[in-house]
């Protein structure tokens, strides 16, 4: 019985290995420092704000949410509740090229004068039209308040905050199938956007690991059968 239990545990571990590998994270988001330089009605201002972009699959597209962890500009006068309206552009690159317009609610509380303006989460929809690896990078931020417009432009060439492998309406361009997005370097549609949720073909080291795990399970099964047969054979009465 102890031998059979050890064989069962070893088989379970061998078969579980490939499952863990295949179940890797579907997307990779990364907080990126963006150096926003702003043109305001009273002169230039600027600040560095960490930005992250998240994606949630929604029907045939992705709902993108762009979050600012620090304020990037200020006002010489107090901005009353509801006086400031933010919007931004998310640049789409990789297999797709284009822009996603995102916007958010007006400020819910008054913003004191000469205080960094904290931007609320901005959201918009990216609708894929092609398959492949797509990147999403913080673009121009626009702040409208009290009849004025402030434009803030990234000046440090920030990297992508999000990367996805997506599938377009015509299916994956590389022959893969599936409905999950795949991780890359750190989710308004675009002009020819890639689509959400394709699974890359299994041709790399992960598949070798899965194949080896399955083979290991087969060998263990064969070995267990051999051990049981030999044990039973050895226990037969002589003659």
């Amino acid at each position: 019985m102890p031998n059979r239990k050890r064989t069962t545990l070893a088989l379970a571990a061998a078969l579980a290995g490939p499952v863990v590998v295949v179940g890797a994270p579907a997307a990779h988001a990364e907080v990126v420092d963006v150096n926003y330089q702003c043109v305001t009605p009273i002169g230039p201002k600027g600040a560095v704000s960490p930005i992250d972009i998240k994606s949630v699959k929604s029907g045939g597209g992705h709902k993108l949410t762009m979050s600012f962890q620090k304020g990037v500009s200020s006002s010489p006068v107090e901005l009353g509740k509801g006086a400031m309206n933010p919007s931004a552009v998310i640049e789409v690159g990789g297999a797709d090229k284009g822009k996603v317009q995102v916007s958010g609610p007006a400020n819910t509380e008054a913003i004191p004068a000469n205080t960094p303006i904290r931007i609320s989460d901005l959201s918009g929809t990216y609708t894929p039209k092609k398959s492949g690896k797509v990147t999403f990078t913080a673009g121009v931020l626009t702040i409208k308040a009290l009849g004025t417009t402030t434009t803030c432009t990234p000046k440090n060439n920030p990297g992508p905050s999000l990367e996805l492998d997506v599938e377009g309406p015509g299916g994956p361009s590389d022959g893969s199938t599936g409905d999950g997005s795949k991780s890359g370097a750190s989710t308004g549609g675009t002009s020819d956007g890639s689509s959400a949720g394709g699974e890359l073909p299994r041709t790399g080291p992960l598949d070798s690991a899965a194949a080896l795990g399955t083979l290991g399970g087969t060998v263990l099964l064969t070995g267990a059968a051999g051990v049981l047969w030999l044990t039973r054979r050895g226990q037969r009465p002589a003659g």
Side-chain angles (χ1 to χ4, degrees):
M1 290 296 292
N3 288 334
R4 294 180 62 185
K5 288 183 178 179
R6 283 196 294 268
T7 300
T8 302
L9 292 174
L11 173 59
L15 295 179
V19 175
V20 172
V21 173
V22 174
H28 176 66
E30 181 177 345
V31 177
V32 176
D33 289 337
V34 179
N35 181 7
Y36 274 109
Q37 295 301 311
C38 305
V39 177
T40 79
I42 60 171
K45 290 182 176 294
V48 175
S49 177
I51 304 290
D52 81 281
I53 300 173
K54 292 183 174 64
S55 168
V56 176
K57 188 81 164 60
S58 178
H62 292 267
K63 180 181 178 181
L64 305 181
T65 300
M66 181 179 183
S67 300
F68 293 74
Q69 296 186 8
K70 291 183 180 180
V72 297
S73 186
S74 61
S75 171
V77 297
E78 178 179 285
L79 298 178
K81 178 180 178 180
M84 186 271 295
N85 293 277
S87 62
V89 170
I90 295 176
E91 301 288 345
V92 180
D96 188 14
K97 306 296 180 187
K99 301 177 186 293
V100 179
Q101 299 290 335
V102 292
S103 59
N107 56 306
T108 56
E109 297 180 356
I111 302 173
N114 301 313
T115 300
I117 298 174
R118 182 67 181 268
I119 307 298
S120 60
D121 287 353
L122 309 180
S123 61
T125 301
Y126 164 67
T127 303
K129 296 178 183 177
K130 286 185 178 181
S131 298
K133 183 174 292 185
V134 179
T135 61
F136 301 88
T137 305
V140 175
L141 167 68
T142 301
I143 302 171
K144 293 185 177 181
L146 304 179
T148 67
T149 299
T150 294
T151 303
C152 302
T153 304
K155 293 298 185 180
N156 61 331
N157 191 29
S161 293
L162 180 69
E163 185 175 289
L164 298 175
D165 276 323
V166 296
E167 181 183 326
S173 59
D174 55 7
S176 60
T177 59
D179 59 359
S181 43
K182 184 178 176 60
S183 68
S186 171
T187 111
T190 67
S191 58
D192 59 351
S194 336
S195 77
E199 181 182 334
L200 291 177
R202 303 187 206 172
T203 58
L206 296 185
D207 305 293
S208 298
L212 287 174
T214 303
L215 176 60
T218 303
V219 171
L220 285 172
L221 283 175
T222 304
V227 170
L228 291 174
W229 181 80
L230 289 173
T231 302
R232 291 177 182 175
R233 182 182 177 93
Q235 292 175 349
R236 290 182 184 175

